[in-house]
Amino acid sequence: MMGCWVLNEGLSIILVLSWLGVNLYLFIDTFYWYEEEESFHYTRVILGSTLAWARASALCLNFNCMLILIPISRNLISFIRGTSICCRGPWRRQLDKNLKFHKLVAYGIAVNATIHVVAHFFNLERYCWSQSKEAQGLLAALSKLGSTPNESYLNPIRTLPMNTTTELLRTIAGVTGLVISLALVLIMTSSTEFVRQASYELFWCTHHVFIVFFLSLAIHGMGRIVRGQTQDSLSLHNITFCRDRYAEWQTEAQCPVPQFSGKEPSAWKWILGPVVLYACERIIRFWRFQQEVVITKVVSHPSGVLELHMKKRGFKMAPGQYILVQCSAISSLEWHPFTLTSAPQEDFFSVHIRAAGDWTAALLEAFGAEGQALQEPWRLPRLAVDGPFGAALTDVFHYPVSVCIAAGIGVTPFAALLKSIWYKCSEAQTPLKLSKVYFYWICRDARAFEWFADLLLSLETRMSEQGKTHFLSYHIFLTGWDENQAVHIALHWDENTDVITGLKQKTFYGRPNWNNEFKQIAYSHPSSSIGVFFCGPKALSKTLQKMCRLYSSADPRGVHFYYNKESF
Amino acid sequence: MGQIEWAMWANEQALASGLILITGGIVATAGRFTQWYFGAYSIVAGVFVCLLEYPRGKRKKGSTMERWGQKYMTSVVKLFGPLTRNYYVRAVLHLLLSVPAGFLLATILGTACLAIASGIYLLAAVRGEQWTPIEPKPRERPQIGGTIKQPPTNPPPRPPAEARKKPSDEEAAAAGGPPGGPQANPIPVTDEVV
């Protein structure tokens, strides 16, 4: 049991530990370099260890800012997923966790930013103090350097400081640093789970402040205020000897005045690659936006669900993938994700959209879902489509047995999947590796998904026509009902078809007992690898992961459950 | 963006600003920066803002995730009535609190963040939002047999069909409901349900 958990989770843990390890290595290595490096000796006289803290965290920030754009380059990830070079099995599953990695790197940026900002507060304070009247001795001598024409300065604060805030705002680094920090705080406060659920649009729009973040980051180091002694000066000026003879630097030939130069900005070198990559992503999206999308069919389902059939040139999809949809008539900047509910074998692609917020409600209204009048095709608003982007369900066909579990609206990716299974079964030529599919659907209100029940009904008939009734085994669980429904159900208990869905398989009431279900499946398929696919709320995801670990046997030849979660 | 409750974001922003103020204040006080007393002020202001903003207000529709342990602060914040309910007051309060921290470098980020939070609260107030405390729902103890006021007055063995008032298949659906019509029982019945 432990072995399976290690296999399932092991690769994720290794990747996280590697990332942490690289961060720690960069931090500690840079820290000791700045603490011991000769050329920064005089800088350390003024600043102390906070120089090293600031520089070490700066390098980690560069590293993390480079990484953060990569997990959300969706086209890149889809591309990697498509090529099967390195991406079988466990590695493919890591690609599904791209958003988790994005969040992890964001936390890394936040921690390093805190260290960096605090260290620089100390640095600025010490620079200001060294330039003030109270400073004496070596500090004062170092700060005075640069006043005469053939001297280079060490202390970036050249005049008597008024207060540290004004000095901050006089430097490029200070102003951009403030802007970057503000941008980071705004992005993080609008990305908390609560705000994302309360208003996805706010999260999406505020997140675009990252453009300001990256621009400011690129020019942050341009002031070159991190100053160290030049190599030429070091060869002429022996620090250990001359350190205490600062009064004689101007006159004595043995200790010429030390010369300093600023460090070249390096942040842009780290972030250039990913920024260009992400810019390409957006260009691809813009190009896809220009492509024409033809709406071939609009179906308005009674429970506030809109089904759209569309066609686009060169559009190829796999079951479980999603697209980003934009409607200029509603908002020219917003792209919302929707799972594709059609199978790849069909000549159109479709999405089912439920009114769940501002944008979706406006869309339903624009397509005349509310009113009774039929819309003319030329009056329908123009849509733009980006994608399709990959998701876990393409792996369903790689397992001999698959268990698909959907909760509520999470059933949409499985619609495409089941349709695809239906088509694949009809083409009798290539035998599928997949031989059994268990499908669980848990929903509170069956009315919201009556469009899906239709699909199941036609699938049921098709399967029995083909003589493959045992291929698909589905269980519907209704978790919410009122008194009237209960009475109705009880009255029709003994009939052949289910009273809610009209299907031969009866609906169950209440939540499934996962222990029993998994036990049953493990018993029926004692030595197979079983893929478990889930789309729905987090709490249930945790339960299912636990079940997968519990019921996977320790024996490598025994039954193994592999958990895959769908997420946007 | 019509349906956004701006107060939700303002609350997160203000809480983050409070934490930033506390951090900046500690840095300034511990490092004994010039004018470090602003740092001490910043710590106090930061703690106050955090305590005020910790209890999340209730969303207008849908359920609200409570922060861990927020019910203690909710009762305190509730006491101030309109002062804490009204977002105009909060906007002005945050703006005023942020100003003194702006004089010190270490806390200037806190000032900027709190000022932004104040702006978002102003927007929320203009749109008529209010802070409503999340009350714990009174737990309804399931009354066992609470709807059974009296036992069925027509338990078996029953007299023959013509004496019965209800048809037989409705008994399957309704459970524990009060029976229709009094009926003289041949056998005395006692109420065993407490």
Side-chain angles (χ1 to χ4, degrees):
Chain A
M1 227 101 38
M2 198 47 200
C4 235
W5 180 82
V6 169
L7 200 67
N8 271 345
E9 312 289 327
L11 198 52
S12 306
I13 296 183
I14 290 173
L15 284 172
V16 169
L17 286 177
S18 319
W19 170 80
L20 206 57
V22 172
N23 269 299
L24 281 172
Y25 168 73
L26 287 174
F27 193 95
I28 295 174
D29 188 58
T30 319
F31 187 87
Y32 279 112
W33 193 85
Y34 274 93
E35 281 284 84
E36 262 130 55
E37 174 63 17
E38 282 261 307
S39 51
F40 282 94
H41 179 92
Y42 284 127
T43 327
R44 280 198 298 276
V45 165
I46 303 185
L47 297 179
S49 311
T50 45
L51 169 72
W53 281 101
R55 295 308 312 155
S57 53
L59 192 65
C60 288
L61 277 172
N62 282 338
F63 175 63
N64 284 313
C65 287
M66 173 186 79
L67 285 182
I68 196 147
L69 283 177
I70 299 175
I72 39 160
S73 303
R74 289 190 178 94
N75 285 303
L76 177 69
I77 293 184
S78 293
F79 174 72
I80 296 177
R81 191 195 293 274
T83 61
S84 38
I85 316 165
C86 63
C87 287
R88 280 275 146 206
W91 289 96
R92 259 244 186 95
R93 277 196 290 281
Q94 296 313 312
L95 288 176
D96 298 338
K97 298 189 184 174
N98 57 337
L99 282 181
K100 272 204 186 128
F101 187 64
H102 180 81
K103 287 178 204 170
L104 181 68
V105 175
Y107 283 126
I109 290 182
V111 167
N112 280 303
T114 314
I115 299 175
H116 186 79
V117 166
V118 168
H120 272 319
F121 281 154
F122 278 98
N123 288 340
L124 201 58
E125 186 72 25
R126 285 175 187 168
Y127 269 143
C128 278
W129 195 84
S130 310
Q131 197 61 276
S132 67
K133 291 203 194 68
E134 289 103 27
Q136 292 181 354
L138 182 55
L139 278 177
L142 285 171
S143 304
K144 285 197 184 58
L145 285 176
S147 336
T148 55
N150 59 355
E151 276 175 10
S152 52
Y153 66 90
L154 170 59
N155 192 331
I157 299 175
R158 305 302 321 140
T159 54
L160 207 63
M162 285 185 284
N163 66 10
T164 39
T165 315
T166 358
E167 295 306 322
L168 177 91
L169 294 173
R170 275 198 194 160
T171 55
I172 297 179
V175 173
T176 49
L178 191 60
V179 169
I180 292 175
S181 311
L182 266 178
L184 186 66
V185 170
L186 282 177
I187 290 177
M188 294 200 83
T189 54
S190 62
S191 311
T192 58
E193 173 136 9
F194 183 62
V195 174
R196 258 184 293 140
Q197 284 182 357
S199 166
Y200 190 82
E201 287 172 349
L202 179 68
F203 154 68
W204 176 270
C205 292
T206 319
H207 230 68
H208 283 74
V209 174
F210 78 88
I211 301 172
V212 171
F213 180 93
F214 277 96
L215 274 174
S216 309
L217 184 61
I219 56 178
H220 185 60
M222 267 175 59
R224 293 176 176 80
I225 59 173
V226 177
R227 303 186 69 82
Q229 215 171 342
T230 56
Q231 288 302 320
D232 298 332
S233 173
L234 270 177
S235 52
L236 294 172
H237 177 112
N238 185 331
I239 294 183
T240 29
F241 180 69
C242 302
R243 186 169 47 195
D244 302 309
R245 293 176 172 71
Y246 48 85
E248 297 139 17
W249 280 348
Q250 305 278 11
T251 49
E252 201 179 306
Q254 233 179 339
C255 291
V257 171
Q259 303 294 332
F260 297 93
S261 63
K263 190 176 166 305
E264 292 294 314
S266 60
W268 67 272
K269 294 179 203 158
W270 287 85
I271 62 175
L272 186 63
V275 165
V276 165
L277 197 71
Y278 192 72
C280 289
E281 290 270 330
R282 292 298 258 235
I283 291 173
I284 292 177
R285 187 177 300 177
F286 183 71
W287 179 64
R288 288 202 178 128
F289 165 76
Q290 304 286 63
Q291 288 179 317
E292 196 178 344
V293 172
V294 176
I295 301 171
T296 56
K297 189 166 169 188
V298 176
V299 180
S300 167
H301 293 271
S303 25
V305 172
L306 184 72
E307 180 180 344
L308 293 172
H309 290 206
M310 295 172 272
K311 278 195 199 204
K312 193 170 158 208
R313 194 192 303 211
F315 188 86
K316 285 194 201 30
M317 59 162 282
Q321 291 194 304
Y322 66 94
I323 51 171
L324 292 171
V325 177
Q326 186 252 30
C327 182
S328 313
I330 303 175
S331 165
S332 51
L333 294 174
E334 294 175 39
W335 292 75
H336 291 249
F338 294 100
T339 318
L340 289 161
T341 48
S342 56
Q345 291 88 346
E346 291 170 324
D347 61 355
F348 60 88
F349 61 94
S350 72
V351 288
H352 283 71
I353 301 173
R354 191 172 58 125
D358 273 352
W359 189 88
T360 37
L363 191 74
L364 259 70
E365 205 183 303
F367 277 84
E370 314 295 320
Q372 309 297 329
L374 279 173
Q375 286 276 37
E376 304 290 349
W378 58 83
R379 284 225 193 97
L380 293 174
R382 185 178 172 273
L383 290 182
V385 160
D386 191 15
F389 299 115
L393 283 183
T394 44
D395 289 340
V396 169
F397 295 101
H398 298 139
Y399 294 94
V401 179
S402 286
V403 178
C404 300
I405 301 163
I409 193 71
V411 81
T412 32
F414 296 104
L417 181 70
L418 289 177
K419 278 192 205 168
S420 181
I421 291 178
W422 170 12
Y423 278 104
K424 283 214 164 134
C425 278
S426 312
E427 315 159 2
Q429 305 109 326
T430 42
L432 287 175
K433 184 174 175 191
L434 181 65
S435 60
K436 178 81 181 169
V437 175
Y438 291 91
F439 179 63
Y440 293 86
W441 179 23
I442 303 140
C443 63
R444 234 186 304 208
D445 179 9
R447 274 179 313 205
F449 305 105
E450 44 90 27
W451 57 267
F452 191 69
D454 275 340
L455 166 64
L456 282 180
L457 185 60
S458 50
L459 211 62
E460 198 177 37
T461 354
R462 188 62 161 227
M463 290 290 170
S464 51
E465 276 173 21
Q466 300 248 327
K468 288 197 184 148
T469 32
H470 295 294
F471 182 83
L472 174 66
S473 156
Y474 60 88
H475 313 268
I476 303 178
F477 291 83
L478 192 64
T479 53
W481 58 84
D482 60 29
E483 186 79 23
N484 289 328
Q485 282 178 313
V487 172
H488 188 64
I489 292 164
L491 281 176
H492 296 272
W493 190 252
D494 290 326
E495 292 181 17
N496 262 345
T497 53
D498 185 71
V499 69
I500 304 259
T501 53
L503 296 163
K504 285 218 185 70
Q505 284 240 23
K506 286 303 184 67
T507 311
F508 296 89
Y509 300 96
R511 293 193 193 139
N513 183 330
W514 292 114
N515 277 300
N516 286 346
E517 303 292 337
F518 272 78
K519 213 183 289 186
Q520 190 72 17
I521 297 172
Y523 184 71
S524 317
H525 305 274
S527 53
S528 327
S529 25
I530 303 180
V532 176
F533 298 87
F534 172 68
C535 184
K538 221 189 285 199
L540 187 49
S541 170
K542 286 203 168 70
T543 313
L544 291 171
Q545 264 180 306
K546 201 172 71 174
M547 291 293 137
C548 284
R549 284 186 222 136
L550 264 174
Y551 289 95
S552 293
S553 85
D555 183 359
R557 289 165 306 173
V559 68
H560 288 279
F561 288 95
Y562 294 100
Y563 182 75
N564 299 269
K565 183 175 190 298
E566 165 80 32
S567 63
F568 283 122
Chain B
M1 289 218 232
Q3 276 177 11
I4 299 177
E5 287 188 48
W6 293 94
M8 299 296 130
W9 183 29
N11 173 270
E12 301 279 338
Q13 179 74 10
L15 192 62
S17 316
L19 291 171
I20 296 173
L21 276 173
I22 296 177
T23 316
I26 293 177
V27 165
T29 323
R32 290 282 161 152
F33 291 175
T34 42
Q35 296 181 312
W36 62 269
Y37 36 86
F38 279 117
Y41 160 81
S42 175
I43 298 177
V44 172
V47 169
F48 174 71
V49 166
C50 280
L51 287 175
L52 175 64
E53 296 292 337
Y54 191 71
R56 231 178 227 150
K58 199 153 87 156
R59 283 175 62 185
K60 275 202 198 109
K61 41 175 218 178
S63 58
T64 322
M65 273 169 11
E66 276 191 25
R67 290 202 179 103
W68 180 84
Q70 84 167 39
K71 54 181 192 238
Y72 307 108
M73 276 317 296
T74 311
S75 36
V76 174
V77 173
K78 219 170 48 171
L79 283 175
F80 290 89
L83 278 181
T84 44
R85 219 177 23 235
N86 190 314
Y87 283 146
Y88 280 112
V89 173
R90 276 203 202 194
V92 169
L93 178 69
H94 286 326
L95 195 60
L96 290 176
L97 281 176
S98 65
V99 167
F103 288 106
L104 185 63
L105 173 65
T107 51
I108 200 175
L109 185 61
T111 303
C113 291
L114 195 57
I116 292 178
S118 158
I120 310 174
Y121 264 127
L122 188 64
L123 184 57
V126 160
R127 289 171 47 87
E129 293 175 28
Q130 265 200 346
W131 186 84
T132 21
I134 301 178
E135 307 284 354
K137 276 195 284 285
R139 277 197 48 165
E140 293 165 26
R141 292 210 47 208
Q143 295 282 344
I144 305 167
T147 54
I148 302 178
K149 302 283 190 298
Q150 49 180 200
T153 52
N154 193 16
R158 271 183 279 275
E162 54 266 12
R164 284 198 233 149
K165 293 254 166 29
K166 296 182 305 200
S168 55
D169 50 284
E170 272 186 17
E171 282 167 18
Q183 177 72 34
N185 289 314
I187 299 166
V189 168
T190 48
D191 180 1
E192 280 151 24
V193 178
V194 176

